[in-house]
C-alpha cells in the first residue's frame, strides 16, 4: 500500500472533528462559489438572451450579480444546514412547505 492510499484511508477513518469539518466546509464553500459563477454565466449568456420576456428590459450588473438559480438556493441552504444555522433552514423549510401546499 502506498503512502497516498494510507493517508486517504486514515482521513476517512477519523471521526468528524472540528478541523475536519472546517476542511469540508471550506471545500463546500469553494464548490458553492464555482457553481454560483457557472450559474450566473448561464443566466447572463443563455437564459436571458433566449427568453423574450427580457427583450425590453435593460439588466444591470447588479441584476446579474443578484440573480440566483434554484441550484444556488439549494446549495446555499445546504451550506447553512451543514454550518448549523438551524433557524435559517427552518424559515426556508416553512416557505417551501407553504409554496408546495399552494400547488
Amino acid at each position: 500500500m502506498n503512502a497516498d492510499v494510507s493517508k486517504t484511508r486514515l482521513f476517512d477513518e477519523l471521526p468528524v472533528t472540528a478541523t475536519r469539518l472546517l476542511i469540508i466546509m471550506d471545500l463546500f464553500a469553494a464548490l458553492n462559489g464555482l457553481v454560483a459563477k457557472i450559474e450566473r454565466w448561464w443566466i447572463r449568456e443563455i437564459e436571458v438572451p433566449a427568453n423574450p420576456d427580457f427583450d425590453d428590459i435593460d439588466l444591470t450588473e447588479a441584476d446579474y450579480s443578484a440573480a440566483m438559480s434554484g441550484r444556488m438556493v439549494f446549495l446555499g441552504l445546504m451550506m447553512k444546514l451543514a454550518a448549523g444555522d438551524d433557524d435559517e433552514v427552518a424559515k426556508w423549510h416553512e416557505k417551501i412547505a407553504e409554496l408546495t401546499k399552494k400547488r
Side-chain angles (χ1 to χ4, degrees):
M1 181 181 317
N2 66 33
D4 291 333
V5 173
S6 63
K7 286 179 188 175
T8 302
R9 284 189 180 165
L10 176 64
F11 185 77
D12 288 340
E13 293 173 7
L14 288 174
V16 177
T17 62
T19 303
R20 185 171 179 195
L21 184 59
L22 285 175
I23 292 169
I24 293 168
M25 290 302 295
D26 285 345
L27 292 173
F28 197 28
L31 173 67
N32 193 20
L34 179 60
V35 167
K37 189 178 264 189
I38 293 168
E39 292 289 311
R40 285 197 176 104
W41 175 88
W42 182 266
I43 291 167
R44 174 190 295 263
E45 301 297 329
I46 307 296
E47 293 291 330
V48 171
N51 188 336
D53 292 341
F54 290 100
D55 286 350
D56 298 329
I57 300 173
D58 291 325
L59 297 174
T60 65
E61 187 61 35
D63 294 327
Y64 286 114
S65 294
M68 293 192 71
S69 68
R71 186 174 295 130
M72 292 167 64
V73 172
F74 179 74
L75 283 174
L77 287 173
M78 294 278 294
M79 285 203 50
K80 290 175 190 231
L81 181 62
D85 191 351
D86 295 335
D87 293 336
E88 184 69 20
V89 173
K91 287 178 195 174
W92 277 98
H93 182 268
E94 289 173 11
K95 287 180 185 178
I96 292 169
E98 183 179 310
L99 288 172
T100 55
K101 285 181 185 176
K102 291 180 181 178
R103 291 184 181 181

